[in-house]
Structure formats: C-alpha cells, structure tokens
Amino acid sequence: NLLKNGIDELKLDLYEDIEFKGIVQATEKEKNKKDPERKTALSNSQNLKPGMRAQVCGLIKAVARNGLIGILVGKGPDNQGRWALELEVCDMNEATHLKIKAQHLRPMPPLEMSIDRIQSIIDQAPNEARIRLPSGEFCDIRSKNPYRRTNLPILYLRNKASLFLLGDPCDTNTMLRCRLIAQSSITGSLRIARISIDGGMDIHVPNTKLQRVRLDSPPQCSSTLAIHQPNAIIDRCLIEGGDYGISIHAEQCQVLSTVVLGARNAGIFASFRFRAECSTVKCCLDEGVDAKEGYDELPNTNFFQKGQIKPVEMPDFSKGGGYFSSYKQQGDGIPSVGVHA
C-alpha cells in the first residue's frame, strides 16, 4: 500500500508538472502573438555566439543605446543572461563595453571587409572616437586582384580631435591591405593597437602611439613607417621591408621593444635624435641604424645590426609567404615582438 500510494503521488506530481509546463508554453505563445517583437527577440537570442556582431534593440530605460552595434566578447552570457558587447564605434568619454540581456540583442551580418567601408566608419565616427575592428583581412574588394602589393588603396585618418583604432584582441589578426596615412587634421592624439597593415604608414599627427602593430611594405615603398611629427611612441611593434624600416623626421620619438627586419637600406633612419629601448634591428642590406644626431638608449637592451650584409643573405620575398616563412626556411630564428634577441 505504501508503495502504491508513493507511485500515485509521483504520478500526480508528474501530471501537475506537465500541466504547469503546458500552461507556461501556452502563456508564452499568447505573449508572442500579442508582441511579435518579443518573439523575434527570443529567436535572435538563441543565435548569438561569441565574436558575432550584434545590435542593441528594445531597451526602454536606456533608449539612447538602441541601435548601437558591437562585437560579442567573452565565452557567452553571464549568470544573469547578459552578454558583454564591445562597441564597434563609441566616444572616448563613454563606456566601451555594455552588459546586455540576450533578448535585447539582434544578430548582425559581418562587417564588409573593404577599405572603403573602414573609411566610411572612420569619417562618420564621433569627433573623439574609439573604433574597434573585427578580425579578418580588409582589402580593395573592387579590384580584380584585391591582394596585390602594388597601387595599394589609401586609408586616411583625418578630421578628428582624437582617434583610437583598435583591432582584434589576438594580436594582428586584423589586417588592412592599404597604405595608412594619418593626416594633420587630427588635432589631438592618435593611437593604433593590435592591427597588421600590409602597405605601411605615414604619421603626420603629433603624440601618436602604436602598440602591437605589424607593418609591412611593398617593394616600391621608401619607408615602411614614416614619422613626420614629434612625440611618437612605437611600442612592441614589428616593422618589415621598405627602403627604410622606420624613418624619423621629428623630435622626441621613442622606439620601445620593437623589431625591425629586412630593410633595403638602414633599418632605422633618423634626422633627429630619438630614444630606443629593448629593440632589435637585423637583416638589413645597409646597416641597422643611421641616426644623423645619434640616439639615446637603455644600455645593453638593444640589438642593432652593425655594418652591411651580403645580398645573398637576404631572403627572397618575391616567392610569397611573407617575411616570417622566408626567415624560417633559412633557419634564422626571429625574436618575438617585444623580446630582446
């Protein structure tokens, strides 16, 4: 009898549970019929994945945030069902990350991987803008050969008080196949981090800071990185190719924990005195550093090539594969960026 009564009670609990779930499902269906947007939001929330672009929607208390677009970061939602959204474009004085519930996020298609699209985003950004680019290669998609290394498109950084251009958290997973020109119309500071630029860069903005940036240049380029304004800081970067890897034409510039490789003349050419710490210059045809007014350094932290090397020692980059693969084929180990060789 006790066993029978226990089974009857278990069946009753099961029936009640099924009945309760049926009521809940019916209620959910009824709500979705009355509010189609709610149904769409719930459907979208199930398709969210880390690394995806998403748009904020349906907020009532913070209406101003509706329409903001960002990239979902982290491993997924937290215990309260909120996703971490890193905004694609925002003002430097505002929050860069938001915690948004899944039902208030709408999946967005991937960003068009073109230099024209990046130019449009930069031009339309706020006066003091922080721009976060996703991983991938941005190129001239209108060209028949978007991965060419001649006649590269130009990306202009201009008409801003301050600008921070940021790539994927995994260093240099964001690649721009273009020549980057930072114009003097940026009146404040310029910062670029975690981006690979296959085409080199010209800096005409004072107080520029490059962090974890990889710069490469095509054969016809005179300088992979040309600095024309003072107070530039090159920090933990990798500079490859060019007649000169870095050419410095301004005062009070610093090269910190940076590697310069494979220049056809000097790795660093400087018209003004600069400071170097924990940096490496090697595999250049002419010499490591050609500093007209000398340079300051932290003793015993730099490894600069002395004198010329024979042309036969230079890797053959015309066969493709990039500088890394060419050096590895010759068994010449390349130090990690920011590590003293």
Side-chain angles (χ1 to χ4, degrees):
N1 290 335
L2 290 174
L3 181 60
K4 183 179 179 181
N5 292 336
I7 293 175
D8 291 340
E9 290 179 2
L10 182 61
K11 287 182 178 179
L12 182 60
D13 292 340
L14 182 61
Y15 292 149
E16 289 177 351
D17 186 46
I18 293 174
E19 184 178 0
F20 176 75
K21 287 183 178 179
I23 294 173
V24 170
Q25 291 175 357
T27 305
E28 291 292 324
K29 290 180 180 179
E30 191 66 26
K31 288 182 179 179
N32 292 337
K33 287 181 180 179
K34 293 181 179 179
D35 188 0
E37 293 184 359
R38 181 177 183 276
K39 181 180 180 180
T40 303
L42 290 174
S43 175
N44 289 339
S45 66
Q46 297 172 358
N47 298 323
L48 298 177
K49 297 178 181 179
M52 177 183 291
R53 292 179 77 226
Q55 184 179 46
V56 181
C57 62
L59 294 178
I60 298 176
K61 293 184 179 180
V63 179
R65 292 180 175 175
N66 289 330
L68 294 178
I69 298 176
I71 299 173
L72 298 176
V73 296
K75 297 181 179 180
D78 58 17
N79 296 333
Q80 298 178 342
R82 289 184 170 87
W83 284 80
L85 184 74
E86 184 176 2
L87 295 180
E88 198 169 78
V89 180
C90 65
D91 194 287
M92 283 189 178
N93 300 318
E94 297 178 353
T96 60
H97 290 71
L98 301 177
K99 287 283 191 177
I100 305 292
K101 288 186 176 181
Q103 59 264 34
H104 295 302
L105 292 170
R106 179 187 297 118
M108 296 289 290
L111 189 67
E112 181 184 280
M113 307 300 282
S114 71
I115 298 299
D116 289 342
R117 180 62 178 137
I118 298 299
Q119 186 70 73
S120 175
I121 290 175
I122 292 172
D123 291 343
Q124 296 175 16
N127 196 34
E128 296 183 351
R130 177 188 185 274
I131 300 175
R132 162 72 155 84
L133 299 178
S135 62
E137 295 187 14
F138 294 84
C139 57
D140 184 7
I141 61 175
R142 296 176 300 177
S143 171
K144 294 181 180 179
N145 181 17
Y147 300 106
R148 68 187 187 278
R149 303 209 71 205
T150 57
N151 299 321
L152 290 170
I154 298 177
L155 179 63
Y156 294 98
L157 307 182
R158 58 195 176 190
N159 302 327
K160 295 285 180 287
S162 298
L163 180 62
F164 180 15
L165 196 62
L166 181 67
D168 188 80
C170 296
D171 290 353
T172 66
N173 273 0
T174 301
M175 173 177 280
L176 305 180
R177 293 189 178 273
C178 64
R179 183 76 180 181
L180 194 66
I181 299 180
Q183 295 184 331
S184 57
S185 56
I186 296 180
T187 56
S189 61
L190 171 64
R191 183 181 172 193
I192 301 176
R194 303 194 311 236
I195 291 178
S196 179
I197 304 171
D198 187 12
M201 181 176 182
D202 296 300
I203 298 176
H204 299 275
V205 181
N207 306 312
T208 294
K209 186 172 185 179
L210 305 185
Q211 287 182 299
R212 297 188 181 276
V213 173
R214 177 179 175 178
L215 292 168
D216 196 355
S217 64
Q220 74 275 16
C221 182
S222 59
S223 296
T224 301
L225 174 61
I227 302 172
H228 301 279
Q229 291 294 331
N231 301 316
I233 298 177
I234 314 303
D235 182 19
R236 291 167 288 172
C237 295
L238 175 61
I239 315 295
E240 300 177 295
D243 286 342
Y244 299 99
I246 303 176
S247 58
I248 300 174
H249 307 286
E251 298 177 328
Q252 299 180 352
C253 295
Q254 301 181 57
V255 180
L256 311 175
S257 302
T258 291
V259 178
V260 182
L261 300 172
R264 287 176 288 279
N265 292 312
I268 300 178
F269 172 83
S271 303
F272 293 85
R273 196 172 186 87
F274 69 98
R275 182 170 182 81
E277 293 182 10
C278 304
S279 295
T280 297
V281 179
K282 62 186 299 188
C283 298
C284 301
L285 279 180
D286 192 355
E287 56 184 320
V289 177
D290 181 5
K292 301 304 181 183
E293 297 187 4
Y295 59 90
D296 302 316
E297 65 175 337
L298 192 65
N300 302 319
T301 63
N302 295 309
F303 179 84
F304 292 159
Q305 171 189 323
K306 304 296 183 182
Q308 299 178 340
I309 64 172
K310 299 178 180 179
V312 71
E313 296 180 32
M314 286 293 290
D316 182 6
F317 301 128
S318 63
K319 297 180 180 179
Y323 291 97
F324 281 124
S325 60
S326 299
Y327 279 113
K328 288 178 181 177
Q329 290 171 4
Q330 297 195 6
D332 186 2
I334 298 179
S336 300
V337 176
V339 178
H340 173 55

